[in-house]
Amino acid sequence: HQRLTRYKLLLKILSEKTPNESSEFKQLIEASTELKQIQNIALQNQQQANQLQETQRKIIGLKEPLLSSDRFLIVEGNLLYGDGKEKHECYVFIFNDMILVTKPISTNTSIPQFRYKHKIIFEVPSVIKSLPNTDSQSKIGFQLLIGTSNYT
């Protein structure tokens, strides 16, 4: 990140000393624009990595690291499941490539803790769509499309 900041400063100094009508000036402006895009991507990647590391600290019993260059957290929250008679509750972390199912074990600490139960890996291209909230008790609604299967 520091190197990108230095490049930005260098491009600014060079563009100030380059005549506006020259082709070099236009190239410097283009390079500055591309550098800004790269900085935004680097910042976004760092934020995603920090979020994955924070999530990792919350989950007890998860053996493999969550940090991966192509993984990001979409949503986390309580999930109620079961048939009409019997309801169960768990806490899920939904990523772009998997779902981690956990059980809350401590909410009294500054960082809530969860016990890892199992994971569901998306092995085929998957899509997660947000659904409108139609139930006043529900906070999160989503539809998971995995291959030809559809889970709501």
Side-chain angles (χ1 to χ4, degrees), residues 42-91:
L43 179 62
Q44 183 181 19
N45 288 343
Q46 184 61 47
Q47 289 171 340
Q48 287 176 352
N50 291 344
Q51 186 179 42
L52 290 174
Q53 289 171 340
E54 181 65 28
T55 301
Q56 182 89 42
R57 284 191 284 276
K58 293 179 184 179
I59 303 172
I60 297 170
L62 181 63
K63 302 286 188 234
E64 69 270 359
L66 286 177
L67 191 58
S68 172
S69 62
D70 57 349
R71 177 175 295 141
F72 57 90
L73 180 66
I74 296 172
V75 69
E76 66 177 270
N78 289 315
L79 175 69
L80 292 172
Y81 64 96
D83 56 23
K85 299 174 187 175
E86 193 173 336
K87 299 259 185 204
H88 303 281
E89 187 174 351
C90 62
Y91 195 89

Side-chain angles (χ1 to χ4, degrees), residues 60-132:
I60 297 170
L62 181 63
K63 302 286 188 234
E64 69 270 359
L66 286 177
L67 191 58
S68 172
S69 62
D70 57 349
R71 177 175 295 141
F72 57 90
L73 180 66
I74 296 172
V75 69
E76 66 177 270
N78 289 315
L79 175 69
L80 292 172
Y81 64 96
D83 56 23
K85 299 174 187 175
E86 193 173 336
K87 299 259 185 204
H88 303 281
E89 187 174 351
C90 62
Y91 195 89
V92 295
F93 296 86
I94 302 174
F95 300 90
N96 61 309
D97 61 343
M98 71 174 166
I99 298 175
L100 288 179
V101 180
T102 66
K103 287 281 189 184
I105 57 173
S106 173
T107 55
N108 297 337
T109 61
S110 61
I111 299 175
Q113 297 289 297
F114 304 90
R115 171 101 33 227
Y116 170 76
K117 292 298 183 184
H118 63 275
K119 65 182 172 184
I120 302 165
I121 297 176
F122 307 150
E123 295 183 12
V124 294
S126 308
V127 176
I128 298 175
K129 294 181 178 181
S130 293
L131 296 177

